[in-house]
Amino acid sequence: MLLYTKIAPPKVPKRRSRAGCTFCKEKKKKCDERRPQCARCAEKELQCTYEAVKPRQRRKREPLQSGFVQDHGGARGPIYDQDEWREALVDEISESDCLSPMDAKLDAMSPMNFSTTSDNALSPIDRGSAIYEYGGTGDATRIRDVVRRSSNVSVVGHARSLQPDLAMIAPCPVASPTLEFVLPAFSEFSERSNRRALVDHFCNVLSHLIVFREESGNPFQQLVLPLSHRSSPIMNAVYALASAHLEYRGIETPEKSLYFHNRAIQGLARLIEQEGNVDKTELLAAIMLLVYYEVLVQRGRSSIVDGHLKGALTIMSSAQGESTPASLFLERAFRFYDVITALSLGSAPLSTAPAAGCLIPFPPMDAPAVSPLSNVDTLLGMATTLWPIMHRLSNLLSLKNDIERASRENQASKSAVLRMEFESTSQAIETALTQWEPCLPPNIAVQDGVLVGSSQEDIPEQQLLQSIQHNALAYRHSAFVYLYRTIYGYPARREVVQKHAHTALVHCVETVTHRGPMGALLWPLFVAACEAISTEDRSLAQSAFAGIDQRQGMTNIGQAWKIVQEVWKRLDQASEGSPEAQDIDLWRRVSAEMGVSIIFG
């Protein structure tokens, strides 16, 4: 018989490593989580790799509250962010103190020149009521709910099963008042519910809107988002991009995008000051997200994009060592925006033109070797082989301006040399555009404008492939329009200009109709729409703009449509032979008068 019972002390819970490296997890050993190489991998001389940490699955006593509340017109009380604010508040700060691009010069706006000592930060807390509701017309038929998937979703998981355009009206998840959830998704990014909602929006909406393929995962989730765990500039850039997109869609957030943008710029400047002690991929990822912010969702002028691109290309040219999937993906993104920025602003591209055949489609990580999307690039679609031609085309306007400048300064020899280069290059580009066709997947051909398989069987992902093909063809025909109008100076009513403008608009409408990726459709749509004269072509342009704006929800789309409408208005008011009707830079003058500088990415 026991005379007493000894009460054992409570057992100290064993802390398991959740962020350990792949090797230690496989061996079920404790990892010290050192980076870039843990002690165990260093001892065994192994390559040390880390995966993104998945959120824990724990029960919560109280229902989860989302950072945003959906308002369908019924009575509902406000939901406030319950987390305590840990940042210092700064009063009476204007938007110009937060790197507003409206009044600043390009060089001063570059992150290379941004001061890290500035304490000017926009207060993320509004003075008014913190009610987050969906703004809009109140048309109930346009409201579609998007329900959060289970919280065990991986940040680098599979692509969202819902179409991205279904999330445009209600892009953030709404908690059920009757169900109890496990630990909220994305809790490893922030303890604040509204910031977790921003990461959710970036992963489940934004990242799907700017890529062409993601059959094995989204590249932004696979390659960029994991870098944010150790980089506050990347994390703040993600917050800024997601928050600005929500703000443009009429959804109020407790922390403004300008606040996050300011913090990201300051953090990036600190990284640059470290020079050789910083990961170049981390720098490129932060700059790339800031480029997307300026191009896609920033209100006002986008004049600092050029400064971001210069900094990124300088980093890429000085980078040494073996390339990683993340660095290759970011390099492809920068080269895309280098060309689009040159075409949009009339400047010369900063990078050198890639040789023909050197660009190959960049797939998502772990993409199957045999796939109907094997010839589709993540960012360029089926236009991978067209991009060297587009790069040379984007340089022609700058070369044309150099010729005019040399003629004004009576530099006859220089003008003659430049004119010879201009003529040979433009003729080569025209020939290359005439011969170019989209690179289709194996065993797939085009018959009467429709993709068909060699064995007449159904093609997997046919709707997606059809949309991507039309996107590439829209680029080709709009490139002809740009060449004939902006470079050669042909009148808008010339038959060859109207022929290619009409064909480009048809392909833009087909891209929208097939509901495929539209992240790169704005430039060909805008170029062709500005030359639309007939009622039919203007109706096509209006239909395409409505479709892309509904799906993408980006600021630059709305600004581009306003410019197109003003161009049409002035063309209708001008006589056929008037200077305004013949002005090849009419849309640029309209854009300058409106005070906007759009990058058509």
Side-chain angles (χ1 to χ4, degrees):
M1 181 177 179
L2 293 176
L3 298 179
Y4 67 92
T5 301
K6 183 178 180 181
I7 301 177
K11 185 177 180 180
V12 179
K14 183 177 180 180
R15 299 184 61 85
R16 296 183 178 273
S17 171
R18 297 182 62 246
C21 71
T22 305
F23 176 76
C24 292
K25 285 183 178 180
E26 290 177 353
K27 298 299 183 181
K28 297 183 179 180
K29 300 291 186 181
K30 181 173 178 61
C31 181
D32 59 9
E33 302 178 12
R34 292 183 181 176
R35 306 205 180 203
Q37 194 175 35
C38 71
R40 195 179 307 278
C41 291
E43 180 182 355
K44 297 182 177 294
E45 297 182 354
L46 298 174
Q47 183 178 2
C48 190
T49 58
Y50 289 86
E51 298 178 351
V53 181
K54 296 183 179 181
R56 293 183 182 271
Q57 300 183 14
R58 290 182 179 176
R59 306 289 294 182
K60 287 194 71 176
R61 294 185 178 180
E62 297 182 6
L64 170 67
Q65 290 183 343
S66 171
F68 307 101
V69 176
Q70 185 171 1
D71 183 7
H72 290 293
R76 175 175 295 184
I79 291 182
Y80 298 89
D81 187 6
Q82 302 294 336
D83 296 301
E84 295 183 0
W85 178 241
R86 299 180 178 87
E87 309 288 347
L89 299 182
V90 180
D91 297 329
E92 300 178 359
I93 299 298
S94 66
E95 290 188 0
S96 61
D97 295 321
C98 298
L99 282 177
S100 172
M102 292 296 295
D103 304 314
K105 295 183 179 180
L106 175 64
D107 294 338
M109 299 306 299
S110 171
M112 302 299 181
N113 302 322
F114 190 82
S115 174
T116 62
T117 60
S118 174
D119 294 328
N120 294 338
L122 186 68
S123 175
I125 304 299
D126 285 340
R127 302 295 183 189
S129 176
I131 301 176
Y132 320 131
E133 56 186 16
Y134 293 97
T137 60
D139 186 356
T141 60
R142 297 187 61 187
I143 298 180
R144 306 182 182 110
D145 294 337
V146 176
V147 182
R148 183 197 293 274
R149 295 176 295 177
S150 61
S151 62
N152 61 350
V153 63
S154 171
V155 174
V156 293
H158 298 290
R160 183 192 185 105
S161 59
L162 296 177
Q163 291 293 331
D165 61 327
L166 298 180
M168 288 295 91
I169 302 302
C172 286
V174 179
S176 168
T178 60
L179 297 179
E180 197 172 42
F181 289 88
V182 295
L183 190 69
F186 310 111
S187 58
E188 68 271 26
F189 291 94
S190 176
E191 296 180 358
R192 306 194 64 190
S193 59
N194 67 296
R195 294 190 180 186
R196 291 197 300 270
L198 293 177
V199 179
D200 190 350
H201 184 72
F202 178 82
C203 291
N204 288 332
V205 178
L206 261 178
S207 62
H208 300 295
L209 296 177
I210 48 183
V211 296
F212 278 95
R213 58 181 292 194
E214 46 184 349
E215 69 269 30
S216 61
N218 185 280
F220 283 93
Q221 298 177 30
Q222 293 174 327
L223 303 173
V224 177
L225 197 58
L227 299 174
S228 65
H229 283 284
R230 64 174 186 267
S231 174
S232 61
I234 297 178
M235 192 73 263
N236 283 311
V238 169
Y239 291 149
L241 184 59
S243 181
H245 188 245
L246 289 168
E247 290 167 8
Y248 178 70
R249 300 302 297 184
I251 300 173
E252 293 297 327
T253 59
E255 295 177 290
K256 299 301 182 182
S257 60
L258 280 172
Y259 166 75
F260 289 122
H261 175 262
N262 188 39
R263 289 174 61 97
I265 287 287
Q266 288 183 340
L268 179 60
R270 296 188 191 100
L271 287 180
I272 293 173
E273 289 176 353
Q274 298 177 20
E275 296 181 353
N277 300 324
V278 65
D279 184 4
K280 298 294 191 297
T281 304
E282 181 181 343
L283 279 175
L284 292 176
I287 297 175
M288 187 70 256
L289 290 170
L290 291 172
V291 168
Y292 273 103
Y293 173 86
E294 297 295 340
V295 170
L296 302 180
V297 295
Q298 169 68 329
R299 302 173 189 269
R301 305 185 65 89
S302 298
S303 56
I304 69 173
V305 173
D306 194 52
H308 288 326
L309 292 175
K310 287 179 180 178
L313 293 172
T314 301
I315 293 170
M316 287 190 294
S317 61
S318 62
Q320 299 178 353
E322 185 178 356
S323 298
T324 64
S327 64
L328 292 174
F329 172 71
L330 293 169
E331 181 179 352
R332 181 64 53 92
F334 279 116
R335 293 194 180 279
F336 167 78
Y337 269 113
D338 183 30
V339 172
I340 290 297
T341 302
L343 291 169
S344 302
L345 303 181
S347 56
L350 301 173
S351 61
T352 56
C358 72
L359 289 181
I360 59 175
F362 184 89
M365 291 179 62
D366 303 322
V370 179
S371 168
L373 301 174
S374 58
N375 283 4
V376 176
D377 185 86
T378 305
L379 295 174
L380 303 179
M382 291 186 186
T384 309
T385 54
L386 178 65
W387 216 244
I389 306 173
M390 298 296 300
H391 191 288
R392 298 174 69 188
L393 177 66
S394 67
N395 194 47
L396 283 182
L397 183 57
S398 176
L399 183 59
K400 180 181 177 181
N401 293 334
D402 290 340
I403 295 174
E404 295 175 353
R405 189 181 304 108
S407 299
R408 289 194 304 267
E409 298 174 357
N410 297 322
Q411 298 177 347
S413 58
K414 180 180 179 180
S415 176
V417 172
L418 292 176
R419 191 175 301 277
M420 184 179 301
E421 179 186 354
F422 174 82
E423 292 175 354
S424 61
T425 304
S426 58
Q427 291 174 3
I429 290 173
E430 186 174 2
T431 301
L433 288 174
T434 304
Q435 299 174 347
W436 182 85
E437 291 291 340
C439 189
L440 300 175
N443 303 320
I444 295 180
V446 180
Q447 185 176 356
D448 298 328
V450 179
L451 296 179
V452 295
S454 57
S455 57
Q456 301 300 322
E457 297 179 355
D458 292 338
I459 303 174
E461 305 282 1
Q462 181 168 5
Q463 286 287 97
L464 177 61
L465 286 171
Q466 197 81 51
S467 179
I468 296 174
Q469 181 211 17
H470 283 296
N471 188 294
L473 290 172
Y475 262 92
R476 176 191 177 222
H477 289 283
S478 287
F480 273 118
V481 175
Y482 182 88
L483 179 67
Y484 293 143
R485 280 287 285 149
T486 304
I487 305 303
Y488 290 168
Y490 289 175
R493 296 184 180 274
R494 192 155 176 169
E495 181 181 359
V496 67
V497 175
Q498 289 301 306
K499 169 189 171 184
H500 286 288
H502 172 77
T503 307
L505 289 172
V506 169
H507 286 301
C508 288
V509 171
E510 288 296 325
T511 302
V512 173
T513 303
H514 287 88
R515 304 180 67 80
M518 306 177 199
L521 189 62
L522 185 57
W523 183 82
L525 173 58
F526 179 85
V527 169
C530 283
E531 310 306 331
I533 296 176
S534 66
T535 303
E536 178 188 3
D537 287 351
R538 291 186 177 183
S539 177
L540 289 173
Q542 184 175 5
S543 176
F545 265 107
I548 188 177
D549 183 57
Q550 181 181 7
R551 180 184 176 92
Q552 299 296 113
M554 309 295 185
T555 307
N556 58 345
I557 298 172
Q559 291 175 336
W561 174 236
K562 290 179 181 178
I563 294 174
V564 169
Q565 290 178 299
E566 181 63 25
V567 168
W568 290 350
K569 179 181 177 181
R570 297 192 184 188
L571 289 176
D572 292 341
Q573 293 174 349
S575 59
E576 185 174 345
S578 64
E580 190 164 52
Q582 303 297 322
D583 188 1
I584 62 175
D585 289 327
L586 178 58
W587 74 263
R588 296 187 191 277
R589 290 200 297 107
V590 170
S591 176
E593 292 172 8
M594 289 184 174
V596 296
S597 180
I598 307 177
I599 308 297
F600 301 105

